[in-house]
Amino acid sequence: MGENKLKLGMAAIATLLCAGTAAAKDLTFGYVPASLEYPYNVMTAKGFEEAGKKAGVKTVVLDPRGSVEKQGNALDDLLSQKVDAIGFLPLDSVVAESFVDKVNDAGIPVVAIALQVGDSATRKLNEPYPGLSALVATDNYQAGYVSGEMTAGVLPKDRKAKIAIVMGDPAYTIVKLDTDGFKAALDKAGANYEIVAEQPTNWTPDEGEAVCQNFLTAHPDLDVIFSHADDMAIGCARAIEAAGWKGKLIATGGGSKLGYDAIKAGEMYGSVCTRPQLLGELMFKAMHEAATNPETPKGRFVTYDMPQITKENLEDCPEKW
């Protein structure tokens, strides 16, 4: 996947953000997140708005509050405002294709953030929907892979290890990518393991707690619980404490303040650094490139590096959202 991956350093971003020109003053960019109910999405908007402010570009953020229909209406609203570029966080990857096509028909650059556009069963993450100027996203397969590498290092060597997975909402394409990457890393490491339980959630701590209670009741001899996000892991940690379980809790989708505190306190072994504010900045940069340079290639995939986070290197993940 690496050869198609566009990694952007903070120095390059800073150069763009400081390069506001007279022409940039007249630009207006719009962003439609999935829902500003979630801290992750709020941080993508913060990165987008701060980048716009530094570059002298007016920004508009419209919150569809988790509704696909309202997301479509918000995009229509931005089209009627004749903004110069549009970014959005797809609520439904398949429906999002029609959204992108409509924006394309209006001749406006469009960038998707965090989640891919199109059916993940037929489209790879690093091969974005061709109507997009860019897909700016965490490489969730790689994030799952990093979690799998971490897990391989803590599994028992003298027997088959038992692992349970706290999944996110299966409607999100990242759920399959997280799990596939996780298993691939374990297999590459030659780990002797069995996935004895998997259960979906709605991404909340309360559901994470309930799922882990079920896991520990049915499989008290688990070695590792792998969570698709810090949020569920926080709830899972409560169930672990109540059960007195001594295994390892490992997550991906990490970097939140609550996740940071849980790792520091020893409630969670580790996670993988994700940076939603940086994603918002990278989205702005991709939009700016497309809006100011007609020769900018379409269908780009933009991502960033994701280190492991453990108690030993908490400060390697600078965002705490």
Side-chain angles (χ1 to χ4, degrees):
M1 297 181 72
E3 64 183 9
N4 291 321
K5 193 181 290 185
L6 176 56
K7 295 182 178 177
L8 300 175
M10 292 305 295
I13 297 169
T15 299
L16 165 83
L17 300 182
C18 294
T21 64
K25 300 292 184 183
D26 298 325
L27 295 174
T28 300
F29 292 173
Y31 174 42
V32 183
S35 172
L36 294 180
E37 175 186 3
Y38 300 106
Y40 185 99
N41 294 352
V42 171
M43 292 300 285
T44 64
K46 181 180 179 181
F48 167 70
E49 290 177 312
E50 290 186 354
K53 184 176 180 180
K54 290 177 182 177
V57 174
K58 180 181 177 182
T59 56
V60 179
V61 177
L62 302 179
D63 182 9
R65 300 184 181 183
S67 164
V68 176
E69 181 181 1
K70 289 180 180 177
Q71 185 165 66
N73 292 339
L75 291 168
D76 286 341
D77 189 7
L78 292 175
L79 290 176
S80 69
Q81 293 182 42
K82 300 187 185 304
V83 297
D84 298 285
I86 290 175
F88 78 113
L89 200 165
L91 277 159
D92 184 308
S93 294
V94 176
V95 172
E97 290 188 358
S98 63
F99 293 164
V100 172
D101 292 344
K102 180 183 288 189
V103 178
N104 274 199
D105 289 344
I108 296 174
V110 56
V111 174
I113 184 173
L115 296 173
Q116 68 191 114
V117 172
D119 186 351
S120 63
T122 58
R123 181 172 298 284
K124 294 180 180 179
L125 181 70
N126 63 344
E127 297 175 357
Y129 187 67
L132 289 169
S133 293
L135 169 62
V136 179
T138 299
D139 184 339
N140 282 91
Y141 181 91
Q142 180 62 24
Y145 194 94
V146 173
S147 296
E149 290 179 318
M150 190 186 313
T151 300
V154 302
L155 293 180
K157 308 298 183 186
D158 57 343
R159 58 179 172 80
K160 179 173 285 189
K162 294 185 177 181
I163 300 173
I165 302 178
V166 183
M167 304 165 64
D169 183 341
Y172 288 78
T173 56
I174 60 176
V175 166
K176 183 177 186 301
L177 292 169
D178 281 337
T179 298
D180 287 352
F182 179 74
K183 292 177 179 178
L186 290 173
D187 292 342
K188 184 175 181 180
N192 183 16
Y193 73 97
E194 178 184 4
I195 306 294
V196 298
E198 293 178 289
Q199 191 169 330
T201 70
N202 65 356
W203 303 102
T204 63
D206 286 347
E207 284 216 5
E209 181 176 10
V211 166
C212 286
Q213 285 173 344
N214 294 341
F215 286 167
L216 295 173
T217 298
H219 306 280
D221 56 346
L222 282 173
D223 295 291
V224 168
I225 295 177
F226 170 52
S227 172
H228 280 175
D230 272 4
D231 282 358
M232 293 92 78
I234 300 306
C236 188
R238 297 196 294 260
I240 288 169
E241 182 178 11
W245 182 66
K246 301 301 181 185
K248 295 286 194 300
L249 172 61
I250 291 174
T252 190
S256 68
K257 179 67 167 62
L258 291 175
Y260 176 97
D261 291 343
I263 294 172
K264 188 174 182 179
E267 298 168 355
M268 179 163 53
Y269 177 78
S271 190
V272 179
C273 182
T274 55
R275 302 183 61 186
Q277 184 172 344
L278 175 59
L279 277 182
E281 294 174 5
L282 294 175
M283 177 181 67
F284 176 86
K285 183 179 190 299
M287 293 165 70
H288 191 275
E289 289 170 341
T292 58
N293 180 8
E295 302 303 316
T296 301
K298 296 184 73 170
R300 295 169 292 153
F301 177 54
V302 181
T303 192
Y304 58 96
D305 288 321
M306 294 162 290
Q308 295 182 10
I309 318 169
T310 63
K311 191 179 290 189
E312 286 69 37
N313 70 326
L314 281 168
E315 300 310 319
D316 287 352
C317 191
E319 290 179 25
K320 298 176 183 63
W321 34 277

